[in-house]
Amino acid sequence: MAKELLKGNVAFAEAALRNGLEAYFGYPITPQSEALEHLSGRMIEEGRVFLQAESEVAAINMVYGAASSGVRTMTSTSGPGLALMAEGLSYIAGSEVPAVVVNIMRGGPGLGNIQPSQADYFFMTKTAGHGDFHPIVLAPSSVQEIIDMVGLAFDLADKYRTLVLIAGDGSIGQMMESAELPPMQPLRPEPDRPDWAIVGAEGRAPNLITSLYLGAQNLEAVNLRLQAKLQEIRENEVRYQEYEVEDAELLLVAYGTVGRICTTVVREARKAGKKVGLLRPQTLWPFPDARLAELGARVRGVLVAEMSAGQMLEDVERAIARQAPVRFHGRMGGVVPMVDEILADLDKLDEETR
Amino acid sequence: MKHEETIISGFGGQGALFAGQLLAYSGMAEAMHVTWIPSYGPEMRGGTANCTVIVSDEEIGAPIIRYPTCAVVLNLPSMQKYEPLVKPGGVLIVNESLVDIQSARDDIRVITLPASDIATALGNPRMANLVALGALAQATGLVALETVAAQLEAHLSERQRKWLEPNKAALQKGAELAR
Amino acid sequence: MSVAVNIPENMDLIYKYPDALTEVSTHYCPGCVHGIVHRMVGEVIDELGIRGQTIGVAPVGCAVLAYKYFDVDFVEAAHGRALAMATGIKRVNPDKVVFTYQGDGDLAAIGTAETVHAANRGEFLTTIFINNAIYGMTGGQMAPTTLPGMVTTSSPTGRDCAVAGYPIQMSEILAQTAGAAYVTREMALDMPSIVKTKKAIKRAFQCQIAGLGFACVEVLATCPTNWNQDPWASLEWAKESMTEHFPLGTFKMTDAVKALKWRD
Ligand SMILES: Cc1ncc(C[n+]2csc(CCOP(=O)(O)OP(=O)(O)O)c2C)c(N)n1
Ligand code: SF4
């Protein structure tokens, strides 16, 4: 398939459709609405399910229902909508059905604004709902990567019967870039739905999708099983990209849009003779703890850059475990950090650790 | 190596975003890497619209920049905002039909042309964006004029089809004035 | 932006900004009806002399910045939650006048539960409900009030009611609740209808002041930008098409509201 100039929001929506998305439910919210708008035409064209819900509360519960039937389903939203979905996210996690949710982050808290942000990191990786669970959280930094990650998200969701979130930001959603879409995959035929799905009990014992376990012992057993699954995910699904880290003395850690901005920072810093490298997490949960621990032992200092007050920072600090000083460059409220600001903080770190 | 970071800016409705997309399509057609990011806001009308387009031989890192290497300013507020930010050695294209101040910069190449008036003479003031884009392509050599014309042909909406030839003429005229 | 006007001595000032509005140019698109309804609410607040006792609740929608245009205390609610927030405000300030100003997405989609239950509890609140059949702020997606067959950015082939449901008639629904005292549907699309709408808005505020129950004035409005129509055509279209699905009329008026003495 040839490269096209694609807007992030349209690209991930079309990629989902081509990866066998059978049902989409959503509610408009900027800066994500182009995804919903694209699917409002395309899903109908393909004879699939598209429904604009009356709210995000409804949208995520529609997803919960469709997911319980074992079809590929998703919704997409931005911070205020994700907040409303918290209840549904927890139910999906608790009843272990596969679902994909794309969050194109915008400035908060509250109504905030619609400019790019990364301030939903804690929410997505740690507190997406009540109870003990983590969704897998993927963090794309380009239009191509959000396309690829949608496919990965469905595969991981199916493989682990888990919730997968894609952590985009307003910049990735609104940006156009040359990228290649995957070929069209057929839908999963109904007889091939997973054996746990609720599709009618004809010829077998009834299935049950629930997150209710009244006995404490029972619920603890379920939690232990969930935790074992999360552990397996921690062991197998960590993803990150490295950029010039081999001989790096200073390490940048950034994801998403800030991650790609930092590739320019590395180039500029190298031009100025500084040995700088970048680790860009592609999974925010599970987090690349082990690799960061290794690098922390090797570098003089670490600089974390984010569009937040320092959320991923806490995970980096935990992973580096005081082996090297960890400093932070953060912008909030929809302000995107610029290359020169990050370079200036790198200079400070360089001096401080010389 | 080719690498330009361009901001195109004007009133909503002046076609700054479309001109930027054409530049991005053209860069792609010439096998370069491209990114296009619009300013975006609530639907309500008024105010300025701008986009940042990066066209490069190299893979693109930061898609959002503070100091562009080129700026195309279609109205006065855009001139006031971006003229001071163009990197030394860069290019500034000014639509003097709507910008009645002059650039004091001597470290950049300033091309001043009456884009809206030219467009009006060609039949529609809304083609000022294409006049300016022609000048930009000519001044930077970033993409060939023929490429832009071909991309215009490929991406002009059905409704605007009747404006294809005048738009091409607008491109041409802009390029001539930038020679 | 404040406009200084010098009035010649032999002339009277007969038209000015209501005191309850700030002299700020609004951000609304040319031809948008929001500004007209703001003015009516402002005039009513002036006429009732309640500027200092009024608290407004802004929605999430194009009127999200309403607080800039009213010279009264204001809060900005979460999308759809205006009537829940207003309930909280009114319950702790029972002697104040609390109104919400909401669009159709806000009131009739994401906020349906809050709306129905505030009405059903008979909250002493006044709601101004702007029905423009579309989501204006987010770029013209389908609203619960979008007309059958109407093209929007999320119903590109026109609203198919068999799939997306039917235009929801909120006034009719709210009129069913025992707590509602006054529910009416008006339009603000020409001079006579504007005059009539203002009367309804005044009654809705008086209903609250007299402690008679929940009051809601639905106002049929336009969104020329997202309907892709020029302002004039949009007014005509709304008069013709919207009234067909949203019949004008008063759906509930208790005897007590009817008996209200007009404080003109
Ligand atoms: C929880 C949440 N979901 C979605 C949005 C995005 N949003 C903002 S305004 C709006 C709809 C506005 O439409 P309407 O209420 O009809 O008012 P109008 O803009 O037409 O006046 C939506 C969906 C949001 N702010 N919060
Ligand atoms: S988008 Fe529509 S509702 Fe919003 S201000 Fe413009 S015309 Fe009014």
Side-chain angles (χ1 to χ4, degrees), chain A residues 3-5 7 31 114-116 170-171 174-178 260-261 263-264 267 336 338-341, chain B residues 3 21 24-25 28 32-38 40-42 58-67:
Chain A
K3 287 207 167 184
E4 301 165 61
L5 188 65
K7 186 171 230 187
I114 56 179
Q115 307 308 319
S171 165
Q174 294 298 320
M175 177 165 65
M176 288 180 99
E177 199 171 12
S178 48
R260 71 182 288 165
I261 289 173
T263 61
T264 303
R267 266 184 233 162
V336 180
M338 294 284 163
V339 170
D340 52 355
E341 310 166 10
Chain B
H3 181 96
Q21 284 183 4
Y25 279 120
M28 246 180 90
M32 288 184 277
H33 297 271
V34 301
T35 57
W36 173 94
I37 294 197
Y40 61 94
E58 272 189 0
E59 204 165 310
I60 298 166
I64 299 171
I65 50 165
R66 196 195 308 275
Y67 302 107

Side-chain angles (χ1 to χ4, degrees), chain A residues 27-30 33-34 36-38 40-41 44 50-57 84 111, chain C residues 60 64 76-77 79 81 105 109-110 135 137-139 141-143 153-156 163-164:
Chain A
Y27 187 77
I29 185 165
T30 316
S33 296
E34 293 86 354
L36 170 136
E37 292 173 357
H38 180 77
S40 73
I44 307 283
F50 168 89
L51 199 57
Q52 184 178 317
E54 70 273 24
S55 70
E56 290 87 350
V57 177
L84 284 182
L111 196 50
Chain C
V60 180
V64 70
E76 165 55 45
H79 191 27
R81 316 293 171 225
I110 194 167
Y135 284 12
M137 184 189 216
T138 42
Q141 294 86 9
M142 186 185 76
T153 54
S154 64
S155 58
V163 176

Side-chain angles (χ1 to χ4, degrees), chain A residues 225-284:
Chain A
R225 186 165 47 72
L226 258 177
Q227 291 302 317
K229 177 165 84 180
L230 293 179
Q231 188 53 33
E232 196 186 332
I233 295 173
R234 273 194 194 96
E235 279 157 22
N236 298 327
E237 305 301 344
V238 171
R239 286 172 170 80
Y240 54 86
Q241 204 177 42
E242 290 181 345
Y243 195 68
E244 312 254 0
V245 294
E246 304 76 33
D247 62 342
E249 294 171 7
L250 300 175
L251 180 70
L252 277 163
V253 186
Y255 71 97
T257 289
V258 185
R260 71 182 288 165
I261 289 173
C262 283
T263 61
T264 303
V265 174
V266 170
R267 266 184 233 162
E268 297 289 320
R270 293 250 163 196
K271 271 190 221 158
K274 290 203 173 67
K275 291 196 169 149
V276 175
L278 165 69
L279 184 139
R280 179 172 70 79
Q282 292 166 303
T283 50
L284 302 180

Side-chain angles (χ1 to χ4, degrees), chain B residues 155-171:
Chain B
H155 296 286
L156 204 63
S157 70
E158 256 340 292
R159 228 158 23 98
Q160 304 288 334
R161 220 66 235 155
K162 56 176 185 282
W163 293 106
L164 178 60
E165 288 311 317
N167 265 306
K168 283 186 179 169
L171 262 180

